[in-house]
Amino acid sequence: MTTSAAPLPLAGVRVLEFTHMVMGPTCGMILADLGAEVIKVEPPGGDKTRKLPGLGIGFFRSFNRNKKSVVIDIGTDEGRATAAELAGQCDVVLENFRPGLMASFGLDYETLSKKYPRLIYVTHKGFLPGPYENRLALDEVVQMMGGLSYMTGPVGRPLRAGTSVNDIMGGMFGAIGVLAALRERDLTGKGQEVQSALFENCVFLSSQHMQQFAMTGEPPPPMPSRVSAWSVYDVFTLADGEQLFIGAVSDKQFLTLCRVIEAPELAADPALANNALRVAVRPALLAKLGENLKHHRVEELSPKLEAAGIPYAPIMRPDQLVNDPHLKASGGLVPMECEDGETTDVVLLPLLMGGRRPGVRHALPGIGQHTEEILAGLSSRVPA
């Protein structure tokens, strides 16, 4: 890794963020990590995402680093005037509130762009314009509507993915839209509205299965019931009940696996001579492999598989990843100071640019920490 002090790609870009929860904050964090000055507008008392319990407890820390916090009450005329003037000093505005809310405040693209035609305005919604556009959506709602839950769970048991995949990816597509709009503004001098939506994001994730149906005429089965293209591509239970995914996706890899696990009888079986033959007898083959593998220990077998070039993976929990040696050695987990003075390790963007990882530049902001700095000099400024 290099420690070059060269400016980050989005240095000089100023972003005003009206967001909460995950989708909008993810977009803002990506832009902030890449060097933009991102100003997060919070209501009096702070973004309620800061205080979510349970599975939401990590949202704020995960998606709000490298930002500045300003408290503005956009529920008041004075606050709306301050927010609008501040938007005029920015390149980009982000929002992810329910349809129509920002318009009711006069802070929507149509209103702001009349005064600030260079403004790029990103809305993060449940649906793009169409019959569903006024529906409220959640990640779980669109996972059910967009085919993801059906493909994830067993037949008759739709199962949502174990993280907010559409919220996070929707924020990513919002950021991609910002980058494209900035480039287009360089050419035209004009801003534009960018829209990113949960439902369309989820359908994009399911698009390969839609094409599978278009090409075969058969509805694709859920992943737990899928007809695998490879004979050895499954999770196996090893000694002491530990689990390991192993994938041998070529004839050479199958023979190598047989050698590693000391199963010469499988390598020599003519009924298993190629992948097509092995897929035809896949259940019986997996049973034989399972009988062999239950005598192996994960910590002993894993380095042998790695040395042999066989794809494998232990089944890791998120709490185990905080000590993952690769994440730590590669710079993917770095310390961040939190608003309460604590320090926590956070996951960086999965990017390496010119030999460096865009990292943590600022502590997680306290509520309204940068209000004085950002609002100084605004003609419409009012106390928070």
Side-chain angles (χ1 to χ4, degrees):
M1 302 293 169
T2 66
T3 56
S4 170
L8 288 165
L10 295 185
V13 174
R14 203 176 203 210
V15 179
L16 188 60
E17 178 185 311
F18 299 93
T19 74
H20 63 153
M21 299 298 281
V22 175
M23 191 183 187
T26 297
C27 180
M29 185 194 71
I30 293 170
L31 300 175
D33 280 9
L34 294 176
E37 179 189 17
V38 177
I39 302 164
K40 182 179 184 67
V41 175
E42 300 192 58
D47 181 350
K48 292 181 180 178
T49 309
R50 290 178 180 267
K51 301 181 179 66
L52 286 176
L55 290 175
I57 196 170
F59 286 179
F60 194 86
R61 287 187 178 185
S62 295
F63 305 113
N64 287 284
R65 63 170 175 257
N66 288 330
K67 301 177 184 179
K68 297 179 178 180
S69 172
V70 170
V71 169
I72 302 175
D73 186 356
I74 61 174
T76 67
D77 291 340
E78 296 84 358
R80 290 191 288 273
T82 297
E85 184 178 351
L86 186 55
Q89 296 185 354
C90 294
D91 299 283
V92 181
V93 169
L94 312 177
E95 69 94 5
N96 73 327
F97 291 99
R98 61 178 172 80
L101 181 65
M102 296 300 280
S104 72
F105 292 147
L107 295 171
D108 57 313
Y109 175 71
E110 183 177 358
T111 302
L112 293 176
S113 63
K114 291 176 182 176
K115 190 172 183 180
Y116 310 117
R118 288 178 55 82
L119 187 66
I120 295 165
Y121 192 102
V122 186
T123 65
H124 299 83
K125 293 292 184 262
F127 306 90
L128 293 180
Y132 303 157
E133 65 183 289
N134 291 316
R135 291 189 190 180
L136 295 180
L138 302 168
D139 204 305
E140 196 144 349
V141 167
V142 301
Q143 286 193 36
M144 300 295 172
M145 292 180 66
L148 182 58
S149 295
Y150 174 82
M151 291 303 297
T152 301
V155 173
R157 291 175 53 199
L159 183 67
R160 69 154 287 166
T163 188
S164 305
V165 287
N166 294 293
D167 280 316
I168 295 170
M169 284 190 64
M172 290 170 58
F173 278 111
I176 292 169
V178 168
L179 300 179
L182 286 169
R183 179 72 179 105
E184 190 166 356
R185 192 179 70 175
D186 288 341
L187 301 174
T188 67
K190 296 181 180 180
Q192 62 183 280
E193 184 177 18
V194 174
Q195 298 183 42
S196 176
L198 294 173
F199 175 64
E200 282 77 5
N201 181 88
C202 194
V203 173
F204 185 75
L205 290 173
S206 298
S207 61
Q208 68 205 61
H209 303 304
M210 295 166 68
Q211 283 303 312
Q212 180 181 349
F213 168 71
M215 296 171 72
T216 66
E218 296 290 333
M223 293 299 280
S225 305
R226 69 193 183 278
V227 177
S228 177
W230 300 286
S231 55
V232 183
Y233 201 78
D234 215 328
V235 176
F236 297 91
T237 300
L238 278 62
D240 300 323
E242 294 181 298
Q243 292 183 305
L244 194 71
F245 170 83
I246 300 174
V249 296
S250 69
D251 295 339
K252 181 180 178 181
Q253 286 184 352
F254 177 72
L255 294 175
T256 301
L257 175 63
C258 291
R259 175 178 57 79
V260 169
I261 67 173
E262 300 179 0
E265 72 285 0
L266 297 180
D269 188 342
L272 306 176
N274 60 54
N275 184 65
L277 290 172
R278 292 192 296 274
V279 169
V281 295
R282 188 170 187 264
L285 172 58
L286 293 181
K288 292 177 181 178
L289 287 170
E291 183 62 29
N292 177 295
L293 288 165
K294 73 179 184 181
H295 302 292
H296 294 265
R297 301 184 63 82
V298 167
E299 66 270 20
E300 295 171 353
L301 183 59
S302 293
K304 295 178 182 178
L305 294 172
E306 183 164 350
I310 300 295
Y312 76 97
I315 313 304
M316 303 294 288
R317 303 187 309 269
D319 60 283
Q320 295 172 308
L321 293 175
V322 299
N323 293 309
D324 184 90
H326 177 82
L327 289 176
K328 285 184 170 292
S330 65
L333 278 174
V334 299
M336 177 186 72
E337 182 182 342
C338 300
E339 72 275 33
D340 58 5
E342 290 185 2
T343 298
T344 186
D345 283 347
V346 294
V347 179
L348 297 185
L349 297 183
L351 288 174
L352 188 66
M353 299 184 66
R356 62 177 175 172
R357 292 288 287 269
V360 174
R361 305 191 314 282
H362 309 296
L364 195 70
I367 300 170
Q369 180 180 337
H370 304 92
T371 301
E372 291 294 325
E373 170 194 340
I374 299 298
L375 300 188
L378 290 186
S379 63
S380 57
R381 181 196 177 169
V382 295

